[in-house]
Amino acid sequence: MTEAPRRVPVVDYLSLDGAGGPVLRANACTACGALFFDRRNACARCGAREFEHRPLGTTGTVRAFTIVKRAAPNVPVPYVSAVVALDGGGVVKANIRDVEPDPAQVTLGMRVALTTFTCGTDVEGTEAVAFGFAPAT
Amino acid sequence: MTEAPRRVPVVDYLSLDGAGGPVLRANACTACGALFFDRRNACARCGAREFEHRPLGTTGTVRAFTIVKRAAPNVPVPYVSAVVALDGGGVVKANIRDVEPDPAQVTLGMRVALTTFTCGTDVEGTEAVAFGFAPAT
Amino acid sequence: MADDLWIIGASMTPFGRFPDRDVIDLAATAALDALDDASATIAEMQTLAVGCLTEAPNMLGQRLQKQIGQTGIPVYNVANACATGATAVRTALLTLKAGEADMALAVGVEQMGKMGLLGSAGRARPEPAGYEPSGRYGSVMPVEGILGTQLMPGVFAQAGMEYAYEHDGVGFEQFAKVAEKNHAHSALNPLAQYRKVFSLEEVMGAEMVAYPNTLLMCCPTGDGAAAVVVCTGTKLKTLDPGVRRRAVKISASVLTSDPYVESDTAQPDVSTLTKRAAAQAYEQAGLGPSDLDLVELHDCFATAELIHYENLQLCEPGGAGDFIDRRAPWRDGTTPVNVSGGLISKGHPIGATGVANLYEVATHLRGEAGDRQIEGARVGLTHVIGLGSACGVHILERATS
Amino acid sequence: MADDLWIIGASMTPFGRFPDRDVIDLAATAALDALDDASATIAEMQTLAVGCLTEAPNMLGQRLQKQIGQTGIPVYNVANACATGATAVRTALLTLKAGEADMALAVGVEQMGKMGLLGSAGRARPEPAGYEPSGRYGSVMPVEGILGTQLMPGVFAQAGMEYAYEHDGVGFEQFAKVAEKNHAHSALNPLAQYRKVFSLEEVMGAEMVAYPNTLLMCCPTGDGAAAVVVCTGTKLKTLDPGVRRRAVKISASVLTSDPYVESDTAQPDVSTLTKRAAAQAYEQAGLGPSDLDLVELHDCFATAELIHYENLQLCEPGGAGDFIDRRAPWRDGTTPVNVSGGLISKGHPIGATGVANLYEVATHLRGEAGDRQIEGARVGLTHVIGLGSACGVHILERATS
Ligand SMILES: [Zn+2]
Ligand SMILES: [Zn+2]
């Protein structure tokens, strides 16, 4: 029996133990290169059934955002949700952190970089770690 | 404000206050005579949209039965459920009361008569009255 | 070989909140009204297709038959998110095209009550026990709000903002103008859930739900039903002149799902499948966007309507902002859009929506739309999209004889 | 005008309990296997129809596409109680007959887990607050168990007992013999949820659920999926000889609902709609019951199978008791019924069932059923019924060339 890990990624496509720090990892179709974040049966693009793990870039561009002010009871508002196109491929949704949740402060096309934060602690003291993006230059 | 009634029928097609005692009342299609126990939009048989209330016979014949031994947690088992064809028209499902829940004691084609019983009491003391059928000669 | 397809009866209930009626009452009302409108009886229907998202697993079609006529015909209970009603119509049409029926009934209905803008996601999140990865993303807890938002208001907000990113002249004000228009239109529609006019300032100043969508830019939840009786052209020829005169031709009927795009990993793409459906529909009908006298499109949020101007080719590529700025989609504009009030103000009982927009367009083509009539309307298009995704597009034409 | 319809690919997953897989895994496995079996790709499918009762509102078809190929084709999510899978197949066939597709994929799937024999009705009843009449019967409390039973085991028990009332020679023992047979058959089927042989005494002596149905006479809940690839005759001619040789002709495809009968007020009538569907199917196929080499029918309970012998014209009127007494429906009898083990022992993941019985019959017609092969099978019939009600019947024939 091993001791319970102290930090776990909130989703399994977030890797916390990469040599270069936290990184998102995709299932890449070996036939066509399409990227997916979930467990796969086959490729949505080409139908092939083989995949390999691939780490993605940690910087990207905000293609779209919203500022959520009405949410489920336990979700703190306001927050900024965005669609981020990663440099080198891959599109992901996440919160934009370290920015005022104000349309004047978030801009379409802004450059962002991957960041992580603790999003919860379970009854055993394990911390769940989520990812987001913060403004980058 | 009137005082809460002390006895209510468990379903509205059971009438407790008929001159001749409890009776089932159907919505009868004025066009084709088809009988229904529920609130109606139109006739399932002919599509007409007018109905009149009609009291049904209180005796009938068991066309089918089952003896239920596995049921939802609060339902006492075993009990006998039956499909009863009423004399004069109308087919209804109900429990057969006053009979052993034993296939040797319930017979297909047996004659039965309407009976009522208290099936619950709410927080205000109101009794819910249900109907069933008992062996008749 | 291919026969024409026609709507000969159409109806919708008022949209709103009807806690004293059940979903069958709503469906039965619409169905009986559509049959009456078609001068037809349930006995003449050879198939029944019913769309209701919340009741999809519960044999609603057969429960409806038990209230309006059990004739033994095939019943299809279908679901496709917010395209559920359109899918029911398409299924009825398939049975006509397949030669299995010459007259059929399609019903869309939903009783949502006050489930709230966020649906079941609006409920509180349970406290975490021990973290265990589960599901296709190996998540250890619900990630809504942690990894962005996947709820409708936010998804459609981001879809609109992506359009704004790609095209100039689109921003909060343009999105808000869409809602200003639809609220104004709804004031003329006695069947609409809301009929209140709001100024642009009021729309923009309302409670923000998910920027840029304020509360007045989001469709409400509600109850309602709509129904159509459809038949083949061969059958139509045998019907009474009064029925034939009011018949509306279905010149195109298309259903699409979302083809792969790279950004699917972030959120569903609501544009590509709409573009494909529109292109197929225009080809089927032999008509183009310039032929349209009115359009009922899926404005679940104001941001959605704006991007569908381009998806449906109502405006030039990149021109959706300009299109609303010059009031083209207003009822007195060049291409009236959502003269019913749209989902934003007419309401959006999910399963009913895709049938109700056929009712709306058919009513205009028949010249029976009363105060909100688009005069001389000859051709109209309906569009719905269900996230996940399904898109239904129909093009209707007034009978030429 | 009418083109032939063919099955060119068929598959089913094992039926059982698969807590480590999700409903999409099951659907994807069946879909990919059926595509492989047809030597086809998802890109060749022009429509997708998916039947899953519990996931009907949740865009399962599109979620499946996201795992096997998002090609933008129309997706139909359908539901019809236990006839859900058959309805998915019929919907795919409609798109072929309508000329909207020449090849299509239909998938049926369900993940029920251990929901138990009574489903959600098996949960405790809440304590009564103040009595208020509600619903269409103005009931002041749930009446299950108070006004008889409307749960499946009891409804089908009473349906069987009504047959026993009307016809001599039918009783507990005849019903039990049905289950004895299906358990015996299942021992030969590697895909069955259970493969255990029981003596008649064991069947009759098992825990009584709802007389005359003991636990061994009731189908289990479970998980599983099945899929078929269907195409038109015109398309078939263009395909490889290996595909054509294994193709199975769909000679009849029928869906019915229950016409009005007086006893509907007590419980759904499962016989009339089955009789009608069978009569229509025989007429469509130009075949009769004596032509059938095997039948897969809807034995959700042993009582149901017995009455369907007559409903499907497999026995003389009133002769269902004699039919089972003389072992006619055993695999070595005159009309093998449920050689797969049937719902009772093969299992009954609701949405999968109506597709899985097509897989079973097609596999025999292809001569690929292994240990359970009915030698020389040329014609087979499948039947499902969903309470409420929907009945699907298909007749399949081996390719004659
Ligand atoms: Zn690929
Ligand atoms: Zn009538």
Side-chain angles (χ1 to χ4, degrees):
Chain A
M1 300 297 119
T2 58
E3 188 177 313
R6 301 299 311 279
R7 301 174 80 231
V8 295
V10 70
V11 286
D12 62 13
Y13 59 92
L14 170 63
S15 170
L16 298 177
D17 45 11
V23 68
L24 301 181
R25 295 167 63 92
N27 289 311
C29 174
T30 56
C32 79
L35 302 173
F36 304 95
F37 294 111
D38 56 346
R39 181 164 56 79
R40 300 303 300 177
N41 299 93
C43 175
R45 185 188 194 184
C46 78
R49 303 175 199 178
E50 300 286 326
F51 297 87
E52 61 188 7
H53 259 73
R54 181 184 300 172
L56 303 182
T58 57
T59 55
T61 302
V62 170
R63 291 192 59 82
F65 72 88
T66 183
I67 301 168
V68 178
K69 299 217 174 176
R70 193 193 273 202
N74 294 1
V75 176
V77 290
Y79 67 91
V80 180
S81 168
V83 176
V84 175
L86 298 174
D87 297 336
V91 185
V92 67
K93 186 175 277 186
N95 290 357
I96 305 295
R97 316 260 308 168
D98 306 333
V99 69
E100 284 297 304
D102 177 334
Q105 303 299 317
V106 191
T107 48
L108 291 166
M110 73 189 281
R111 298 285 302 159
V112 290
L114 191 72
T115 179
T116 58
F117 61 100
T118 300
C119 62
T121 306
D122 76 6
V123 290
E124 294 158 2
T126 302
E127 291 184 353
V129 178
F131 68 91
F133 290 88
T137 47
Chain B
M1 299 298 119
T2 58
E3 189 177 312
R6 302 299 310 281
R7 301 175 79 230
V8 295
V10 71
V11 286
D12 63 12
Y13 59 94
L14 170 62
S15 170
L16 298 176
D17 46 11
V23 67
L24 301 180
R25 295 166 64 92
N27 289 312
C29 174
T30 57
C32 79
L35 302 174
F36 303 96
F37 294 110
D38 56 345
R39 180 164 57 78
R40 300 302 301 177
N41 299 94
C43 176
R45 185 187 195 186
C46 78
R49 301 174 201 180
E50 300 286 327
F51 297 87
E52 60 188 6
H53 259 73
R54 181 184 299 173
L56 302 181
T58 57
T59 55
T61 302
V62 171
R63 291 191 59 82
F65 72 88
T66 183
I67 300 168
V68 177
K69 300 215 174 177
R70 193 192 274 201
N74 294 0
V75 177
V77 289
Y79 68 90
V80 181
S81 168
V83 176
V84 175
L86 298 175
D87 297 335
V91 185
V92 66
K93 185 174 278 184
N95 290 358
I96 305 295
R97 317 260 305 168
D98 305 334
V99 69
E100 284 298 304
D102 178 337
Q105 303 298 317
V106 192
T107 48
L108 291 166
M110 73 189 283
R111 299 284 302 158
V112 290
L114 190 71
T115 180
T116 59
F117 61 99
T118 300
C119 63
T121 305
D122 75 7
V123 290
E124 294 157 2
T126 302
E127 290 184 355
V129 178
F131 67 91
F133 290 88
T137 49
Chain C
M1 165 174 156
D3 202 349
D4 291 341
L5 301 173
W6 296 81
I7 293 174
I8 57 169
S11 73
M12 70 175 274
T13 68
F15 284 1
R17 302 200 197 281
F18 306 106
D20 296 335
R21 309 183 70 195
D22 67 17
V23 68
I24 301 171
D25 287 324
L26 297 171
T29 299
L32 294 172
D33 286 352
L35 289 170
D36 290 349
D37 186 54
S39 300
T41 69
I42 187 68
E44 295 171 88
M45 301 301 115
Q46 286 154 11
T47 42
L48 169 64
V50 173
C52 181
L53 196 62
T54 48
E55 293 289 324
N58 302 325
M59 297 296 260
L60 184 61
Q62 286 85 348
R63 285 155 65 203
L64 174 61
Q65 286 184 305
K66 287 172 181 53
Q67 291 298 328
I68 66 171
Q70 279 176 257
T71 56
I73 58 176
V75 176
Y76 297 85
N77 294 291
V78 304
N80 247 338
C82 298
T84 290
T87 302
V89 174
R90 283 230 83 229
T91 305
L93 295 176
L94 282 176
T95 69
L96 302 185
K97 291 179 75 176
E100 296 198 355
D102 57 21
M103 204 184 290
L105 176 63
V107 181
V109 61
E110 208 79 46
Q111 190 164 40
M112 303 170 72
K114 299 196 72 158
M115 68 164 58
L117 190 60
L118 305 180
S120 60
R123 292 195 280 269
R125 181 181 296 176
E127 289 299 308
Y131 289 140
E132 282 296 330
S134 72
R136 289 194 163 255
Y137 295 92
S139 52
V140 302
M141 61 169 69
V143 296
E144 171 62 27
I146 293 173
L147 300 182
T149 181
Q150 295 290 355
L151 303 186
M152 300 284 168
V155 166
F156 282 97
Q158 288 165 93
M161 292 297 278
E162 183 149 18
Y163 188 85
Y165 173 54
E166 291 165 347
H167 303 291
D168 291 336
V170 176
F172 184 24
E173 187 171 317
Q174 281 66 43
F175 296 126
K177 284 176 177 175
V178 168
E180 177 199 11
K181 168 182 70 74
N182 291 353
H183 285 291
H185 285 171
S186 71
L188 298 175
N189 186 356
L191 300 172
Q193 185 162 348
Y194 298 108
R195 301 183 64 187
K196 193 162 186 298
V197 176
F198 295 94
S199 69
L200 182 60
E201 291 66 34
E202 287 173 313
V203 171
M204 296 178 76
E207 178 197 340
M208 185 59 71
V209 173
Y211 178 89
N213 286 322
T214 69
L215 193 56
L216 289 174
M217 297 160 71
C218 301
C219 66
T221 58
D223 311 332
V228 290
V229 176
V230 291
C231 76
T232 62
T234 304
K235 179 69 179 178
L236 182 67
K237 291 191 182 74
T238 70
L239 301 178
D240 285 344
V243 174
R244 294 207 303 273
R245 192 177 54 245
R246 295 175 66 245
V248 171
K249 188 177 174 192
I250 303 171
S251 302
S253 174
V254 175
L255 180 67
T256 58
S257 61
D258 36 1
Y260 170 84
V261 297
E262 187 191 12
S263 62
D264 288 337
T265 47
Q267 67 170 28
D269 163 36
V270 299
S271 288
T272 310
L273 82 168
T274 295
K275 288 177 179 171
R276 286 194 178 194
Q280 287 179 40
Y282 290 130
E283 186 181 338
Q284 271 186 25
L287 295 167
S290 63
D291 296 307
L292 302 176
D293 297 307
L294 76 162
V295 172
E296 289 284 312
L297 66 75
H298 205 72
D299 61 320
C300 46
F301 298 91
T303 47
E305 173 161 328
L306 190 118
I307 63 179
H308 292 316
Y309 294 151
E310 172 156 345
N311 293 334
L312 296 172
Q313 304 176 30
L314 307 184
C315 67
E316 295 297 308
D322 173 63
F323 190 71
I324 185 68
D325 279 342
R326 61 184 168 86
R327 298 173 65 91
W330 282 73
R331 50 176 291 111
D332 56 358
T334 52
T335 310
V337 173
N338 288 333
V339 296
S340 68
L343 282 61
I344 286 176
S345 196
K346 181 178 72 173
H348 181 30
I350 298 175
T353 293
V355 188
N357 63 15
L358 290 170
Y359 164 82
E360 181 69 16
V361 170
T363 300
H364 285 271
L365 300 184
R366 287 164 154 185
E368 299 172 358
D371 288 347
R372 70 186 187 286
Q373 176 70 41
I374 297 296
E375 286 306 322
R378 302 194 59 86
V379 182
L381 179 147
T382 66
H383 160 262
V384 284
I385 183 167
L387 208 63
S389 298
C391 177
V393 169
H394 288 84
I395 295 177
L396 305 185
E397 286 186 83
R398 187 159 76 186
T400 48
S401 61
Chain D
M1 166 172 156
D3 203 349
D4 290 341
L5 301 173
W6 297 80
I7 293 174
I8 56 169
S11 72
M12 69 175 275
T13 68
F15 284 0
R17 303 200 195 280
F18 306 106
D20 295 335
R21 310 183 68 193
D22 67 16
V23 67
I24 302 171
D25 288 323
L26 296 171
T29 299
L32 294 171
D33 287 351
L35 290 170
D36 289 350
D37 186 55
S39 300
T41 68
I42 188 68
E44 294 172 89
M45 302 300 115
Q46 287 153 9
T47 41
L48 170 63
V50 173
C52 180
L53 196 61
T54 47
E55 293 288 325
N58 302 328
M59 298 297 261
L60 184 61
Q62 286 84 351
R63 285 154 65 204
L64 173 61
Q65 284 184 306
K66 288 172 179 55
Q67 291 299 329
I68 65 171
Q70 281 176 255
T71 57
I73 58 175
V75 176
Y76 297 85
N77 295 291
V78 304
N80 248 338
C82 299
T84 291
T87 301
V89 174
R90 284 231 81 228
T91 304
L93 294 177
L94 282 177
T95 69
L96 300 186
K97 291 179 75 175
E100 296 198 354
D102 57 20
M103 204 183 291
L105 176 62
V107 181
V109 61
E110 207 79 46
Q111 191 165 40
M112 303 170 73
K114 299 196 73 159
M115 67 165 59
L117 191 58
L118 306 180
S120 60
R123 293 196 280 270
R125 179 180 297 174
E127 289 299 308
Y131 289 140
E132 282 295 331
S134 72
R136 291 196 161 252
Y137 295 92
S139 53
V140 302
M141 62 169 69
V143 297
E144 171 62 26
I146 293 174
L147 301 182
T149 181
Q150 296 291 354
L151 302 185
M152 299 284 169
V155 165
F156 282 98
Q158 288 167 94
M161 291 297 277
E162 184 149 17
Y163 188 84
Y165 174 54
E166 292 165 347
H167 302 291
D168 291 337
V170 176
F172 184 25
E173 187 172 316
Q174 281 67 44
F175 295 126
K177 284 176 176 174
V178 168
E180 177 199 9
K181 168 183 69 73
N182 292 353
H183 285 292
H185 285 172
S186 71
L188 298 175
N189 186 355
L191 299 172
Q193 185 161 350
Y194 299 108
R195 301 182 66 187
K196 191 162 185 299
V197 176
F198 295 94
S199 69
L200 181 60
E201 292 65 35
E202 286 173 311
V203 172
M204 296 178 75
E207 178 196 340
M208 184 60 69
V209 173
Y211 179 87
N213 286 322
T214 69
L215 192 58
L216 288 174
M217 297 160 73
C218 301
C219 65
T221 58
D223 311 333
V228 290
V229 175
V230 291
C231 76
T232 62
T234 305
K235 180 68 179 180
L236 182 67
K237 292 191 182 72
T238 70
L239 301 178
D240 285 344
V243 174
R244 293 207 303 273
R245 192 176 56 246
R246 295 176 66 246
V248 171
K249 187 177 173 193
I250 302 172
S251 302
S253 174
V254 175
L255 180 66
T256 58
S257 61
D258 36 0
Y260 170 84
V261 297
E262 189 191 11
S263 63
D264 288 336
T265 47
Q267 67 171 28
D269 163 36
V270 298
S271 288
T272 310
L273 82 167
T274 296
K275 288 176 180 172
R276 285 193 178 194
Q280 288 179 40
Y282 290 131
E283 187 183 338
Q284 269 186 26
L287 295 167
S290 63
D291 296 308
L292 301 176
D293 296 307
L294 76 162
V295 172
E296 289 284 310
L297 66 76
H298 203 73
D299 60 322
C300 45
F301 299 91
T303 48
E305 173 161 328
L306 190 117
I307 63 179
H308 291 316
Y309 294 152
E310 172 156 345
N311 292 334
L312 296 173
Q313 305 176 30
L314 307 184
C315 67
E316 295 297 307
D322 174 63
F323 190 71
I324 184 68
D325 280 341
R326 63 184 166 85
R327 299 174 63 93
W330 283 73
R331 52 176 289 111
D332 56 358
T334 52
T335 310
V337 174
N338 288 333
V339 297
S340 67
L343 282 61
I344 287 176
S345 195
K346 182 178 69 174
H348 181 29
I350 296 176
T353 294
V355 188
N357 62 16
L358 290 171
Y359 165 81
E360 181 69 16
V361 169
T363 301
H364 286 271
L365 300 184
R366 287 165 154 184
E368 299 172 358
D371 289 345
R372 68 186 188 286
Q373 176 71 39
I374 297 296
E375 286 305 323
R378 301 193 62 86
V379 182
L381 179 147
T382 66
H383 160 262
V384 283
I385 182 166
L387 209 62
S389 297
C391 176
V393 170
H394 288 84
I395 295 177
L396 304 184
E397 288 186 81
R398 187 160 76 186
T400 48
S401 61

